[in-house]
Amino acid sequence: MEQIYFDHSATTPLDPRVVEAMLPFYSVNFGNPSSLHWAGQQAKQAIVEGRRQVADLFHAGADEIVFTASGTEADNMVLVGVAMRYPPKDCHIITSAFEHPAILETCKYLDKLGYSISYLPVTPEGIVEPQALRQALHPNTRLVSVMTANNVVGTLQPIGELARITKEHGALFHTDAVQAVGKIPLHVDALPVDFISMSAHKLHGPKGIGALYIRRGTVIEPLVHGGGQERNLRSATENVAGIVGFGKAASIAGAEMSAEASRLVSLRDRIIAGIQSQITNAYLIGHPYKRLPGHICLGFAGQEGEAMHLMLALNDEGIAVSTGSACSAQHGGQPSYILMAMGMDPVRSRGSLRITLGRFNTDLEADTLLQVLPRLTESLRHITSRSFAAVA
Ligand code: PLP
């Protein structure tokens, strides 16, 4: 059976060019970058190059990139790293109600320690409005953290505007850009952000490597203490192969971004139009165009409870999609806090189908989806109406 992968927001397949760049660092180039001999210096040079490549994607300085093990770690690093600089009673943090758990759970932890946290509301189209931020700012607001693109609905946030308001207030601005990096331009010479979280496995790079952009001159407390690597902000022997892979993935994404974004937007919009013309109860969740190029999030009116069945039926046909985010797949059946934050009722909030496209998806694969999905929703409709009839 043909296998089609439409779950790029969960993770992406490695680009073969990335694999090729990484392979020597699993064999001949094995040195510890802290060693002064030739083996160490080869590894050190590779890290310098990888850091430069990641920085270039943001028009940042190489000294502004700190490597971590994941996007989650980068999020923890900035929230806890800023909070630890203040006594809890003197530190207010603002975030949004529909952030990834890497932010929300860290905020819960800080809340337990006595920090005060505010959660900005989200519009029904999945956007955090600048006016809401203006109203939430306090004299002791130290940090505002709003994601660049939501992982479930794919909506893009007005990061530039939110960052400007935050900076005028004198606080720091962080954006979790894990879903957006490599897909849309994020240039720190134009965006007044202080921190950006990212993760290589979302842009056809390897898993287990992320980074935090930290604007030059901005100080945070380190979470991991030890040998002083990563400018003392993240001690541990570096993941050299991961950094090389991240660097390569970043440079490919930067070089191909504008052509790839237009290709994905037209593929995405063709799929949305095709689904809506064939499946009458299908509705798009989130803003119609302020969304990531390859991101589709759908609901099926009256069939919301069937999203998991639909996902599994597609899987039986070899097509991988998800119901909401990979991180919450184990909580199947629960209303999504992200859709609830957007004001959807608990019934509608249970049932979204996320179809996310990537570099290797083809027109032919989109055609297959457009043939298979209407047939599956139709047969599920029969099952749903039969079971309702049996109950009545
Ligand atoms: N933030 C967002 C918005 C995400 O979508 C994800 C992963 O899906 C993360 C953070 C966590 O990234 P990682 O898997 O690298 O820990």
Side-chain angles (χ1 to χ4, degrees):
M1 185 182 18
E2 190 192 359
Q3 288 186 324
I4 299 179
Y5 187 77
F6 281 141
D7 197 13
H8 291 81
S9 286
T11 195
T12 55
L14 277 160
D15 190 300
R17 294 168 286 182
V18 171
V19 178
E20 195 189 326
M22 291 173 73
L23 280 178
F25 295 88
Y26 288 117
S27 56
V28 288
N29 295 346
F30 57 85
N32 181 329
S34 296
S35 303
L36 296 178
H37 48 60
W38 56 266
Q41 293 311 294
Q42 280 174 354
K44 187 172 174 189
Q45 197 40 47
I47 290 183
V48 168
E49 168 74 4
R51 199 186 305 279
R52 176 75 263 154
Q53 289 171 313
V54 172
D56 282 349
L57 187 57
F58 299 92
H59 296 182
D63 59 319
E64 296 176 300
I65 300 295
V66 172
F67 287 111
T68 63
S70 60
T72 300
E73 189 187 318
D75 285 344
N76 275 260
M77 183 184 264
V78 60
L79 291 174
V80 182
V82 169
M84 289 299 148
R85 293 186 56 75
Y86 299 94
K89 63 174 180 13
D90 189 28
C91 182
H92 171 236
I93 294 174
I94 299 177
T95 189
S96 85
F98 79 160
E99 298 290 312
H100 188 272
I103 294 287
L104 293 181
E105 292 300 314
T106 310
C107 285
K108 262 198 226 165
Y109 165 71
L110 289 171
D111 183 38
K112 266 198 281 182
L113 297 182
Y115 291 87
S116 90
I117 318 281
S118 299
Y119 298 90
L120 299 177
V122 182
T123 68
E125 288 190 319
I127 309 280
V128 175
E129 287 185 318
Q131 191 48 31
L133 172 59
R134 279 200 194 90
Q135 285 164 3
L137 286 162
H138 279 241
N140 66 347
T141 303
R142 307 293 178 188
L143 178 68
V144 175
S145 176
V146 177
M147 66 204 321
T148 309
N150 182 268
N151 47 308
V152 170
V153 292
T155 46
L156 297 172
Q157 306 307 316
I159 292 305
E161 181 66 10
L162 297 171
R164 245 181 314 278
I165 294 167
T166 303
K167 301 307 293 174
E168 276 165 24
H169 187 78
L172 295 167
F173 188 84
H174 165 245
T175 187
D176 172 343
V178 167
Q179 291 292 342
V181 167
K183 297 173 191 152
I184 58 167
L186 287 170
H187 297 155
V188 296
D189 43 5
L191 277 176
V193 300
D194 298 294
F195 308 100
I196 303 175
S197 299
M198 59 195 100
S199 183
H201 75 100
K202 308 287 190 183
L203 53 143
H204 300 280
K207 294 171 184 61
I209 183 79
L212 183 65
Y213 158 80
I214 306 178
R215 188 174 288 277
R216 200 170 293 136
T218 314
V219 183
I220 59 170
E221 288 297 312
L223 306 189
V224 181
H225 303 270
Q229 290 91 342
E230 296 299 291
R231 290 191 291 120
N232 227 357
L233 281 171
R234 206 273 185 175
S235 290
T237 300
E238 298 87 340
N239 174 357
V240 183
I243 291 171
V244 168
F246 195 174
K248 186 71 183 174
S251 80
I252 296 170
E256 299 180 358
M257 189 184 297
S258 74
E260 180 62 358
S262 339
R263 187 186 78 87
L264 288 180
V265 165
S266 60
L267 202 56
R268 174 196 77 188
D269 290 348
R270 184 161 80 78
I271 293 175
I272 294 172
I275 288 175
Q276 288 188 318
S277 70
Q278 295 185 76
I279 309 173
T280 47
N281 63 335
Y283 56 94
L284 184 70
I285 300 173
H287 196 279
Y289 59 87
K290 289 181 188 167
R291 58 195 307 123
L292 286 167
H295 200 116
I296 301 166
C297 185
L298 296 168
F300 297 92
Q303 289 185 292
E304 281 87 356
E306 304 297 328
M308 184 64 89
H309 290 131
L310 199 51
M311 187 278 275
L312 293 172
L314 281 164
N315 185 52
D316 288 343
E317 306 263 348
I319 302 176
V321 299
S322 78
T323 55
S325 75
C327 308
S328 62
Q330 66 269 34
H331 305 303
Q334 299 285 330
S336 150
Y337 73 90
I338 289 178
L339 302 185
M340 295 282 280
M342 290 165 59
M344 291 174 107
D345 62 53
V347 173
R348 284 208 157 190
S349 298
R350 278 179 64 199
S352 70
L353 198 71
R354 184 179 71 170
I355 302 167
T356 47
L357 318 175
R359 186 172 295 157
F360 305 113
N361 286 136
T362 62
D363 277 338
L364 228 54
E365 290 178 328
D367 293 341
T368 306
L369 178 71
L370 290 175
Q371 279 157 19
V372 172
L373 189 59
R375 170 164 58 75
L376 294 181
T377 47
E378 188 54 33
S379 53
L380 269 178
R381 210 191 323 269
H382 285 308
I383 294 168
T384 318
S385 54
R386 265 211 308 276
S387 50
F388 273 127
V391 172

